[in-house]
Amino acid sequence: MIREISENTWRQLLTSKCESIFFNPDFLNVVSKSFDYKLHYLVYTEGGNVVLAAAVFSKKDKIVIPLAFTYTPIYYSESISERKYLIVFNHLVKYLKANWSDVSLRLPITLTDLRPFIWAGFRTRLRYTYIKAPDGDIHKSVSKNYIRGLNEGLTFKVENPSKTTIEKNLLFFKNYGLSASSHVSYLNFFTHAAQRDYLISFNAYKSEQLISSNLVLIDRATKTLYTLLLYSSNDKYSHTFIYKNGIDWAIKERFASIDYCGANEENIAIFKSYFNPELRQYVVVTYSRKRDFMRRFKNRLISMVQAMF
């Protein structure tokens, strides 16, 4: 059965299995405190071994997705059979439905069997992201525009995010729907993540003036970079200049992959595609107790009407 455990127990059970920061309570606590969410550690064990684990955030009676660009931390043993997979995820969805009226999860890219969620009345929404191997090739126009940026006097720095870079990136985020109420939460998150060395900033300067900034989340355990937000002035080549230098830095620092955190907006996706990343799918699943009740009521009503004729 699924049970909720303490942070200390989570550390004991998961440290050797999930080294990613997304399973690290130190990082998860930064998220929960920044957004004022409650953090829940859920596990399914057999014989003292973890078969499934998930860290989820709640606000009142709802399970929520706290960040716009990361996945819900869900671990399951890859050695289990398909039947066992269905059983343990069935336990998870039943536990979530029993304890919260609404549930939203952004499933990891590697979680592709959605049947337990579909069978439990969850809605699914297909989304996309790009994953880039730093040592992979890029479109020839990237190199050309990078050189043009150099000729214009652009310079690149990897820095600790400052208040200025964070605010400028949030200004960009606002153009894509960041609400005023969420601004403070994201400001807190970026500030505290930077203080704990989870966040860096790829910055482009021209005549010592900041003209572009890319906030990047670092998962050192899995050697993965997550490019979160990208602020830029009207400089034509600054975006390409930032991304190309970011790839070079990732190679130098021996990172294995870069998650470009989204390929869902047409113009942004086209720009990112020039760096020849791999397009990957992920799914957002949502459940509403009220919506599920109405669905079941409608189905019963239809069955009753059909039985009368």
Side-chain angles (χ1 to χ4, degrees):
M1 292 180 61
I2 295 290
R3 59 191 174 95
E4 186 166 351
I5 60 175
S6 68
E7 179 181 308
N8 286 337
T9 303
W10 175 271
R11 289 184 188 273
Q12 294 168 8
L13 292 175
L14 272 296
T15 298
S16 62
K17 297 181 181 297
C18 306
E19 297 179 339
S20 168
I21 61 168
F22 300 116
F23 291 86
N24 186 337
D26 295 335
F27 175 78
L28 296 173
N29 282 323
V30 170
V31 177
S32 66
K33 291 176 182 177
S34 298
F35 290 85
D36 193 25
Y37 292 154
K38 187 176 180 180
L39 178 56
H40 307 268
Y41 298 106
L42 310 177
V43 295
Y44 183 108
T45 58
E46 284 187 348
N49 297 316
V50 178
V51 180
L52 181 146
V56 297
F57 299 87
S58 70
K59 186 75 170 181
K60 296 181 180 179
D61 63 342
K62 299 179 181 180
I63 293 294
V64 296
I65 302 171
L67 294 170
F69 17 68
T70 56
Y71 312 101
T72 302
I74 299 176
Y75 162 84
Y76 64 95
S77 173
E78 295 183 355
S79 65
I80 61 175
S81 66
E82 178 185 351
R83 182 182 61 83
K84 176 60 71 174
Y85 173 95
L86 296 175
I87 289 172
V88 297
F89 271 91
N90 183 50
H91 278 282
L92 175 64
V93 295
K94 283 185 175 180
Y95 185 90
L96 295 173
K97 289 171 62 175
N99 288 278
W100 292 278
S101 65
D102 291 80
V103 179
S104 297
L105 306 171
R106 185 181 290 110
L107 301 181
I109 292 173
T110 53
L111 207 165
T112 57
D113 187 346
L114 309 178
R115 290 175 295 171
F117 297 96
I118 296 171
W119 294 337
F122 281 68
R123 288 184 176 178
T124 62
R125 185 160 57 105
L126 182 63
R127 306 292 283 166
Y128 296 90
T129 190
Y130 279 128
I131 306 296
K132 171 68 179 174
D135 58 357
D137 62 349
I138 56 177
H139 193 272
K140 60 183 180 181
S141 64
V142 170
S143 298
K144 291 180 179 179
N145 287 336
Y146 170 73
I147 292 172
R148 288 170 181 147
L150 284 174
N151 292 336
E152 282 193 355
L154 298 184
T155 58
F156 175 79
K157 295 181 182 179
V158 180
E159 300 178 302
N160 293 324
S162 65
K163 183 177 180 180
T164 299
T165 55
I166 291 173
E167 287 286 6
K168 286 184 178 295
N169 275 275
L170 287 175
L171 181 63
F172 163 84
F173 198 9
K174 183 179 179 181
N175 296 331
Y176 285 87
L178 178 67
S179 65
S181 59
S182 296
H183 183 278
V184 173
S185 297
Y186 274 97
L187 176 61
N188 288 336
F189 168 71
F190 288 137
T191 301
H192 291 114
Q195 290 172 350
R196 289 180 172 268
D197 203 26
Y198 296 130
L199 197 70
I200 58 174
S201 183
F202 291 161
N203 294 332
Y205 292 86
K206 190 173 185 179
S207 301
E208 298 302 317
Q209 294 290 322
L210 179 69
I211 62 167
S212 187
S213 176
N214 185 197
L215 293 182
V216 180
L217 190 67
I218 301 181
D219 192 342
R220 289 185 171 82
T222 62
K223 290 293 184 180
T224 304
L225 300 177
Y226 296 83
T227 60
L228 307 184
L229 298 173
L230 178 59
Y231 154 80
S232 179
S233 62
N234 294 323
D235 186 89
K236 185 177 181 180
Y237 304 114
S238 61
H239 283 180
T240 300
F241 191 78
I242 285 261
Y243 266 56
K244 174 62 169 64
N245 275 292
I247 291 172
D248 292 342
W249 184 86
I251 293 172
K252 177 184 175 184
E253 297 296 324
R254 303 189 179 214
F255 280 87
S257 66
I258 304 172
D259 189 330
Y260 283 146
C261 292
N264 300 297
E265 297 288 337
E266 183 177 0
N267 290 337
I268 294 176
I270 290 172
F271 165 74
K272 292 176 179 179
S273 70
Y274 280 96
F275 296 87
N276 293 346
E278 179 186 1
L279 183 66
R280 300 290 301 273
Q281 298 179 349
Y282 65 92
V283 176
V284 175
V285 295
T286 58
Y287 169 82
S288 164
R289 188 177 294 163
K290 180 179 179 180
R291 184 183 68 213
D292 193 45
F293 171 81
M294 296 302 296
R295 177 184 63 84
R296 289 185 284 107
F297 177 78
K298 178 182 177 181
N299 289 341
R300 284 199 299 267
L301 187 60
I302 291 173
S303 298
M304 291 172 61
V305 171
Q306 290 174 339
M308 294 171 63
F309 296 96

